Amino acid sequence: MLNLSYISPKAIVKESPIHGKGLFAVESIAQGEIVCIKGGSIINRQTLESMPGWFRAAEIQIADDFFIAPVKEEERDGSMIFSNHSCEPKHRRARSNRLCGNA
């Protein structure tokens, strides 16, 4: 598997009691410490909407019409970060201004 994303050694991916796989801490993580970084290619909304079925839920939006995502099926598993989608998440996703064009 090609690893496109970074997951801290203080976290692991395992089966979630809620749904599918999830990201779980195995050590204390300090406030502001990076837990995961989504890897992949920067694609626009038009490309996103044309992606095939294997692609489902593999992207993260980084700006109004831009996303980070795998573009090949063999990249999918290595691009996943399994972060939660809670309204009260235990971590905050960091976003690079350079990726969003605001640098």
Side-chain angles (χ1 to χ4, degrees), residues 77-92:
D77 288 347
S79 76
M80 301 300 285
I81 56 173
F82 304 99
S83 62
N84 75 32
H85 299 260
S86 172
C87 294
E88 297 179 28
K90 294 183 177 20
H91 77 275
R92 173 180 65 83

Side-chain angles (χ1 to χ4, degrees):
M1 172 177 60
L2 177 64
N3 286 324
L4 298 175
S5 296
Y6 166 80
I7 295 177
S8 166
K10 294 183 178 183
I12 60 168
V13 174
K14 66 180 186 177
E15 292 300 315
S16 170
I18 298 170
H19 177 75
K21 293 182 180 178
L23 190 59
F24 296 85
V26 292
E27 292 182 37
S28 294
I29 298 170
Q31 183 175 348
E33 188 173 348
I34 294 174
V35 176
C36 58
I37 302 170
K38 175 73 173 176
S41 297
I42 298 173
I43 62 172
N44 62 26
R45 185 172 301 280
Q46 181 179 1
T47 302
L48 173 71
E49 291 171 354
S50 72
M51 295 301 286
W54 63 260
F55 183 81
R56 187 174 168 271
E59 82 288 349
I60 287 184
Q61 189 167 12
I62 58 171
D64 287 343
D65 289 312
F66 292 93
F67 304 81
I68 293 179
V71 292
K72 298 176 184 170
E73 189 168 3
E74 60 268 18
E75 295 175 342
R76 187 180 194 284
D77 288 347
S79 76
M80 301 300 285
I81 56 173
F82 304 99
S83 62
N84 75 32
H85 299 260
S86 172
C87 294
E88 297 179 28
K90 294 183 177 20
H91 77 275
R92 173 180 65 83
R93 288 188 190 132
R95 185 186 310 180
S96 167
N97 286 337
R98 290 189 182 162
L99 291 176
C100 297
N102 296 330

